[in-house]
């Protein structure tokens, strides 16, 4: 995966960075840690500007974020009601909880989107609840852009500083991603065990 990313960035420059980050957002297994770190290494070698590499990565990721947001918004939470009513136990929510989530999201959605964009594993999923719960596009766009820019800048700068040792970025972020994923799985199992639908 890493070699393919390196070749794409070497051959396509900023467009390659943007395209890879778009793919990473649509297909999360493609790691942004590698993409932006390699971009930072290229900037350190003088092959591209660090600022433009960050801007390209942010733009590509944001395009993917918007695709997910629009798809989720077009679907809408109301259309999921029969599915939630039928499989609520395994989704660990009933319709009353969905309505509570809507109220919470109206009050805290901006911070949720901003912070979520800067968390490994979670960052690619943030657009879905924002779209389903019909968060204002302007608010979504601004919060997402700031969070995404922060994430891409941190990774690119790490690659810029580490240069050929850019794999060390994944050595740090990998365990964090695994810890977040494990927490999500354990939290889900706990909710399944404790789930009691509202009467």
């Amino acid at each position: 995966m890493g070699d393919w990313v390196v070749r794409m960035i070497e051959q396509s420059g900023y467009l390659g960075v943007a395209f890879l980050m778009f793919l990473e957002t649509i297909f999360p297994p493609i790691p942004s840690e590698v993409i932006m770190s390699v971009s930072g290494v290229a900037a350190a070698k003088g092959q591209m500007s660090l600022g433009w590499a960050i801007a390209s990565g942010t733009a590509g990721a944001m395009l993917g974020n918007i695709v997910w947001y629009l798809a989720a918004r077009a679907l809408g939470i109301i259309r999921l009601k029969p599915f939630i009513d039928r499989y609520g136990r395994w989704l660990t929510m009933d319709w009353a909880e969905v309505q509570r989530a809507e109220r919470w999201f109206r009050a805290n959605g901006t911070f949720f989107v901003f912070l979520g964009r800067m968390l490994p594993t979670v960052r690619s999923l943030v657009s879905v609840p924002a779209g389903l719960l019909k968060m204002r596009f302007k608010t979504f766009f601004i919060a997402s852009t700031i969070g995404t820019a922060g994430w891409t800048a941190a990774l690119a700068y790490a690659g810029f500083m580490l240069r050929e040792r850019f794999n060390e970025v994944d050595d740090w972020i990998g365990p964090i991603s695994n810890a977040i994923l494990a927490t999500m799985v354990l939290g889900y199992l706990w909710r399944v065990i404790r789930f009691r639908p509202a009467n």
Side-chain angles (χ1 to χ4, degrees):
M1 178 70 74
D3 292 340
W4 176 68
V5 169
V6 171
R7 287 196 302 273
M8 174 69 77
I9 292 174
E10 286 179 345
Q11 294 170 6
S12 305
Y14 301 119
L15 285 177
V17 174
F19 177 69
L20 288 169
M21 287 299 288
F22 170 76
L23 287 183
E24 182 270 340
T25 307
I26 299 296
F27 305 105
I30 299 175
S32 60
E33 295 87 346
V34 174
I35 298 165
M36 292 312 304
S37 297
V38 169
S39 301
V41 173
K45 292 178 177 179
Q47 297 170 352
M48 61 174 62
S49 157
L50 180 62
W52 280 109
I54 293 169
S56 299
T58 300
M62 279 304 300
L63 182 58
N65 293 338
I66 291 169
V67 168
W68 275 117
Y69 169 86
L70 293 176
R73 188 179 178 94
L75 177 62
I77 195 68
I78 294 297
R79 292 184 184 175
L80 294 179
K81 188 176 188 303
F83 189 79
I84 292 170
D85 288 342
R86 184 170 183 178
Y87 299 105
R89 175 172 184 81
W90 303 111
L91 296 171
T92 69
M93 66 175 64
D94 54 27
W95 192 246
E97 190 163 5
V98 170
Q99 292 175 316
R100 288 196 296 273
E102 286 186 281
R103 291 191 293 271
W104 183 90
F105 207 85
R106 280 196 292 270
N108 304 285
T110 302
F111 181 71
F112 171 83
V113 170
F114 163 73
L115 181 63
R117 291 295 179 212
M118 302 183 73
L119 294 177
T121 305
V122 175
R123 59 182 303 276
S124 296
L125 306 175
V126 169
S127 298
V128 175
L132 285 175
L133 299 174
K134 299 191 183 302
M135 183 180 196
R136 284 183 62 207
F137 179 77
K138 181 179 178 180
T139 303
F140 166 82
F141 182 82
I142 292 172
S144 285
T145 300
I146 295 172
T148 299
W151 175 255
T152 55
L155 294 176
Y157 185 72
F160 185 86
M161 297 302 293
L162 292 170
R163 302 200 179 199
E164 298 305 327
R165 295 181 294 119
F166 72 89
N167 284 328
E168 292 180 18
V169 175
D170 193 49
D171 292 341
W172 282 92
I173 295 179
I176 296 173
S177 299
N178 292 335
I180 291 174
L181 182 60
T183 301
M184 291 170 63
V185 170
L186 290 173
Y188 169 75
L189 293 175
W190 175 252
R191 283 178 61 86
V192 168
I193 292 169
R194 301 275 297 176
F195 180 74
R196 296 292 184 275
N199 295 323

